[in-house]
Amino acid sequence: MSGTTEQSPAAPEFRVWAVPGLPEVAQGDDLAKLIAGAEPGLADGDVLLVTSKIVSKAEGRLVHAADREAAIDAETVRVVARRGPLRIVQNRQGHVMAAAGVDASNTPSGTVLLLPEDPDASARAIRDGLRDALGVTVGVLVTDTFGRPWRAGLTDVAIGAAGVRVLDDLRGGTDAHGNPLSATVVATADELAAAGDLVKGKAAGLPVAVVRGLRHVVAEEDGEDGEGARAMVRDARDDMFRLGTSEAVREAVTQRRTVRSFTDEPVDPGAVRRAVAAAVTAPAPHHTTPWRFVLLESAQSRTRLLDAMREAWIADLRRDGKSEESIARRIRRGDVLRNAPYLVVPCLVMDGSHEYGDERRDGAEREMFVVAAGAGVQNFLVALAGERLGSAWVSSTMFCRDVVREVLELPEDWDPMGAVAVGHPAGLPKPRPERDAGAFVVSR
């Protein structure tokens, strides 16, 4: 019996090696020419992994800085977390990393090395230079060392890229068992950077590595440099872990803004309930719980309340002798509530309050409860900001409490404390004027 033997397809494989023989890099050096001289056997489809430090040196990013902390400040856009002298920050390139990437190691005394100004542009320049020098089309990654949340140890990642598919989006496909892939986007560039670091090492003086055998990740046409490593920086709206440690509270507070224009996107009721859970952690007198939150989740309930409040307001304004034009203008100011996709009416209850029998002490008792109610609402607004929801707290229900209680069928001892419009902001907030905290402080 005779026949042919079918051979299985070769298993995927690749090689990675460090490039020896590179000289010490100085400002003005042509990295592409140096790499071509040290590794003239580069081939189409290779991926070159270049440590950011030598790119920075060639681009003159060595700067005099007697104080490294000042240099970190200058490169920092946003502090994410801080513990003692260590700062995790977002730098000018958009990367979240320790010390903004400012490096004081292996540099002359009194100097620091900054990251490349535009790592994607640096990668493109090296790629173009290697095409001119060797006639090859390669991919180039500029790499740097990152720590990672929840994981010990450091690894290299790509901060600049040219001619490399940095992300492999598998969403819409299926796995080996036919299950749909709905959230799988592979960070190909970071995987390549980490592979290169295994052979470059951190202290071996080998700043460049080559990966061969993964030609499919390299763009082969001239001018196809790709979207660069910038595409790997997560957008703020999609970053679930944007805030750091103690900075989380400060950032959430400062991000809380009064939003008066909302999109039509529905509000997640779960997000509002999580914000209520944060609200009821506020301090209150006598171990009481003076907060109640009425959630108006249907359009019918919102319209019924707002229509009744409008009629009550119009009646009040007419009693005050206001003109119809003035009344119409004032009524339009309430559109922030009518245009919001979700309304919340916070209420104050005095359960557990003390009665002292004299006006002064009873008045102070109520003030304590009102302050506690305000603290709860502030918690609520800040938590909404943490959920990426906009809000506007307006006082309107306080002027017609009987109407609100009647329409919403609330107990007589529930005092509405305004209303909170909730929704997804229709645009970016305007810059808030800077306030000097010292202007609000008196020391004794």
Side-chain angles (χ1 to χ4, degrees), residues 143-165:
T143 69
D144 198 65
T145 301
F146 269 50
R148 298 149 306 147
W150 308 293
R151 304 285 287 181
L154 304 171
T155 186
D156 265 22
V157 302
I159 64 169
V164 177
R165 187 173 62 195

Side-chain angles (χ1 to χ4, degrees), residues 323-396:
S323 69
E324 294 302 311
E325 180 183 356
S326 173
I327 291 173
R329 186 171 59 251
R330 291 166 184 264
I331 290 299
R332 283 195 296 271
R333 295 175 186 170
D335 285 348
V336 63
L337 295 180
R338 196 168 290 275
N339 296 334
Y342 198 110
L343 289 182
V344 178
V345 178
C347 295
L348 166 68
V349 297
M350 296 289 291
D351 291 349
S353 63
H354 296 173
E355 293 186 10
Y356 297 97
D358 72 75
E359 183 177 348
R360 179 181 62 83
R361 296 176 71 189
D362 287 341
E365 181 78 357
R366 178 171 175 81
E367 286 179 356
M368 286 198 304
F369 275 74
V370 171
V371 169
V377 174
Q378 172 70 353
N379 275 13
F380 180 66
L381 300 177
V382 170
L384 289 175
E387 296 279 355
R388 299 294 189 263
L389 289 170
S391 64
W393 183 20
V394 297
S395 60
S396 54

Side-chain angles (χ1 to χ4, degrees), residues 47-96:
V47 179
L48 206 67
L49 311 167
V50 184
T51 302
S52 63
K53 180 170 285 191
I54 65 168
V55 177
S56 294
K57 288 181 176 180
E59 295 179 355
R61 297 287 283 165
L62 187 72
V63 298
H64 291 280
D67 182 1
R68 180 174 179 243
E69 296 302 310
I72 295 172
D73 289 340
E75 293 297 303
T76 294
V77 173
R78 178 174 64 92
V79 176
V80 176
R82 184 193 304 267
R83 180 168 295 175
L86 176 63
R87 280 185 283 173
I88 306 297
V89 306
Q90 181 181 15
N91 66 11
R92 295 179 181 276
Q93 292 83 6
H95 302 295
V96 176

Side-chain angles (χ1 to χ4, degrees), residues 280-313:
V280 299
T281 65
H286 315 314
H287 305 290
T288 58
T289 55
W291 323 275
R292 303 292 186 270
F293 290 85
V294 185
L295 312 182
L296 305 187
E297 298 182 326
S298 70
Q300 294 84 352
S301 64
R302 295 192 294 274
T303 299
R304 188 168 64 250
L305 174 65
L306 294 176
D307 284 351
M309 290 172 56
R310 180 177 59 190
E311 294 306 315
W313 195 9

Side-chain angles (χ1 to χ4, degrees), residues 236-252:
R237 288 183 61 88
D238 298 326
D239 188 353
M240 295 176 64
F241 310 104
R242 181 170 174 79
L243 306 182
T245 50
S246 61
E247 286 71 25
V249 176
R250 290 195 294 273
E251 181 79 1

